[in-house]
């Protein structure tokens, strides 16, 4: 089997996760201090980083109990409208730390009174130098255009951030759960040959959609994005709740649905319910994770990571990356260098005169 740079970097993730936890956990007290008196967490990001931010938003509310939302960079960079952010902790995510729009957004947020946290994979970057606090992930250099290890390192950063933002320290189990993440990802990678039936099914039909909900919904959006950029197909990545509000009409016997599920948690019943609904419309269904109900209903079922719901998206992301890399190769494409893309993407907003 051809070894792509993307696959090589996927395989590096257990070590990257271990390094990132070791680097970020000691900063937990700094996060708590910076967030003192701040009632809301706002996230600013683009692309894959925006999907990591969605995971962070859910964690901030579900784990930390703090209201959270996405911040629109265009408010700062295009409309140039000041907003009272004295109540806010603004978290800017950029794997390179050099996305100009996010650097400008972070500077604007500080001027508007926010405390700022930068999450990036590059220590000496413009984003880190302009933040009140920088959480630098330790994924190592990433050469393939599709973000893999830098994305999962960001997810780890989101988990550390949310744990630090809890008003009461989380129990010892949360520390044990975090310590188990690298092992769970290593186990997923060790069984990567199991993804081949899923790869064949996804490559064999012209339409694909990806769905989940809640914490795992962020990864559904990310896997859809990765399929689009490496396989050159339009792929919606939707909450199954949003899917039912119209887009499910497009599902037919030309569709493969990729369904992501944690092993437990509040959304598992709903995910189990959407699988037979998709099959009834003619779709072939590939599931990643879930319980026996989910896997029994699927055409192809991949076991998920041995992680609780709040951390399951990290392992689900790795499984999704393995599937995406395989589909791209099967279609005769180069997953390392998708057509017309480069590693750092600049947004060039129209500036009002």
């Amino acid at each position: 089997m051809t070894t792509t740079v993307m696959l090589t970097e996927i395989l590096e993730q257990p070590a990257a996760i271990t390094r990132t936890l070791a680097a970020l956990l000691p900063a937990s007290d700094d996060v708590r201090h910076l967030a003192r008196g701040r009632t809301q967490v706002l996230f600013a990001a683009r692309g894959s980083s925006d999907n990591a931010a969605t995971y962070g938003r859910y964690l901030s509310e579900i784990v930390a109990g703090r209201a959270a939302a996405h911040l629109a960079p265009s408010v700062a960079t295009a409309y140039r409208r000041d907003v009272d952010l004295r109540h806010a902790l603004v978290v800017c995510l950029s794997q390179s730390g050099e996305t100009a729009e996010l650097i400008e957004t972070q500077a604007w947020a500080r001027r508007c009174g926010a405390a700022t946290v930068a999450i990036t994979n590059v220590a000496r970057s413009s984003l880190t130098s302009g933040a009140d606090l920088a959480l630098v992930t330790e994924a190592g250099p990433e050469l393939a255009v599709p973000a893999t290890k830098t994305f999962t390192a960001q997810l780890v950063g989101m988990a550390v951030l949310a744990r630090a933002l809890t008003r009461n320290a989380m129990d010892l189990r949360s520390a044990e759960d975090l310590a188990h993440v690298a092992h769970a990802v290593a186990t997923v990678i060790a069984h990567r040959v199991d993804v081949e039936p899923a790869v064949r099914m996804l490559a064999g039909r012209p339409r694909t959609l990806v769905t989940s909900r809640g914490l795992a919904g962020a990864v559904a959006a990310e896997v859809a994005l990765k399929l689009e950029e490496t396989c050159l197909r339009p792929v919606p990545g939707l909450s199954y709740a949003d899917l039912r509000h119209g887009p499910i009409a497009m599902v037919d016997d030309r569709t493969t649905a990729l369904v992501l599920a944690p092993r437990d948690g509040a959304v598992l019943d709903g995910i189990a319910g959407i699988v037979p609904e998709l099959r009834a419309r003619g779709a072939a269904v590939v599931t990643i994770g879930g319980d026996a109900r989910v896997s029994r209903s699927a055409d192809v079922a991949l076991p998920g990571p041995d992680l609780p719901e709040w951390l399951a998206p990290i392992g689900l992301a790795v499984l999704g990356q393995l599937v995406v890399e395989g589909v791209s190769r099967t279609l005769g494409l180069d997953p390392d260098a998708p057509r017309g893309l480069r590693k750092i993407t600049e947004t060039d907003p129209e500036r009002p005169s």
Side-chain angles (χ1 to χ4, degrees):
M1 183 176 72
T2 302
T3 299
T4 62
V5 176
M6 182 179 178
L7 179 59
T8 298
E9 291 174 345
I10 291 170
L11 302 185
E12 293 172 0
Q13 289 179 109
I17 289 167
T18 299
R19 292 193 303 267
T20 297
L21 282 170
L24 299 191
L25 281 171
S28 296
D29 286 342
D30 295 331
V31 173
R32 293 187 192 101
H33 177 75
L34 185 64
R36 191 170 298 144
R38 308 280 174 169
T39 58
Q40 187 177 33
V41 186
L42 300 175
F43 294 90
R46 291 292 188 194
S48 288
S49 296
D50 199 39
N51 294 326
T54 298
Y55 175 56
R57 178 173 64 82
Y58 272 93
L59 284 175
S60 294
E61 296 189 331
I62 295 169
V63 172
R66 293 177 184 252
H70 282 72
L71 184 66
S74 60
V75 174
T77 62
Y79 294 100
R80 298 184 174 275
R81 176 67 168 145
D82 286 347
V83 176
D84 185 355
L85 296 178
R86 288 173 293 179
H87 63 291
L89 179 72
V90 171
V91 182
C92 293
L93 293 86
S94 168
Q95 289 145 10
S96 67
E98 295 298 343
T99 301
E101 182 186 30
L102 293 170
I103 296 165
E104 186 175 344
T105 298
Q106 180 177 259
W108 165 86
R110 291 188 76 183
R111 290 196 304 271
C112 290
T116 57
V117 176
I119 296 184
T120 178
N121 193 52
V122 181
R124 295 181 179 178
S125 65
S126 300
L127 200 69
T128 59
S129 64
D132 293 307
L133 175 65
L135 300 180
V136 180
T137 59
E138 294 288 342
E142 189 173 63
L143 301 179
V145 170
T148 54
K149 61 182 181 175
T150 55
F151 175 75
T152 53
Q154 285 179 322
L155 298 185
V156 171
M158 294 293 92
V160 171
L161 179 77
R163 188 172 181 271
L165 290 175
T166 54
R167 289 181 171 83
N168 298 309
M170 293 179 73
D171 60 26
L172 290 176
R173 185 186 304 173
S174 70
E176 294 171 359
D177 289 343
L178 280 169
H180 183 62
V181 170
H183 175 74
V185 169
T187 300
V188 163
I189 288 173
H191 295 92
R192 62 186 181 276
V193 68
D194 295 344
V195 308
E196 289 305 317
V199 167
R200 290 194 295 270
M201 186 158 285
L202 284 158
R205 293 193 177 195
R207 294 181 180 173
T208 306
L209 67 87
V210 189
T211 190
S212 188
R213 194 175 182 184
L215 288 156
V219 176
E222 172 64 12
V223 173
L225 172 63
K226 286 290 174 287
L227 284 166
E228 288 185 325
E229 68 182 356
T230 64
C231 300
L232 309 183
R233 295 177 172 182
V235 181
L238 299 170
S239 159
Y240 68 74
D242 290 325
L243 184 63
R244 286 188 173 123
H245 281 267
I248 199 167
M250 73 176 183
V251 175
D252 58 20
D253 60 6
R254 294 171 292 174
T255 305
T256 303
L258 181 59
V259 180
L260 280 62
R263 71 183 187 193
D264 55 18
V267 301
L268 185 55
D269 287 349
I271 294 173
I274 196 66
V275 175
E277 191 173 335
L278 291 165
R279 292 193 72 197
R281 290 174 173 268
V285 178
V286 175
T287 59
I288 299 179
D291 60 5
R293 294 172 299 164
V294 174
S295 59
R296 278 197 306 264
S297 300
D299 294 285
V300 173
L302 302 180
D306 181 23
L307 292 168
E309 185 187 16
W310 76 290
L311 295 173
I314 301 171
L316 292 171
V318 175
L319 275 160
Q321 292 164 3
L322 288 167
V323 170
V324 168
E325 191 272 345
V327 174
S328 181
R329 282 189 294 100
T330 299
L331 294 175
L333 300 169
D334 180 4
D336 294 336
R339 185 177 66 196
L341 298 182
R342 57 196 180 101
K343 199 66 181 167
I344 299 176
T345 302
E346 298 295 349
T347 303
D348 186 17
E350 291 185 11
R351 300 184 184 276
S353 59

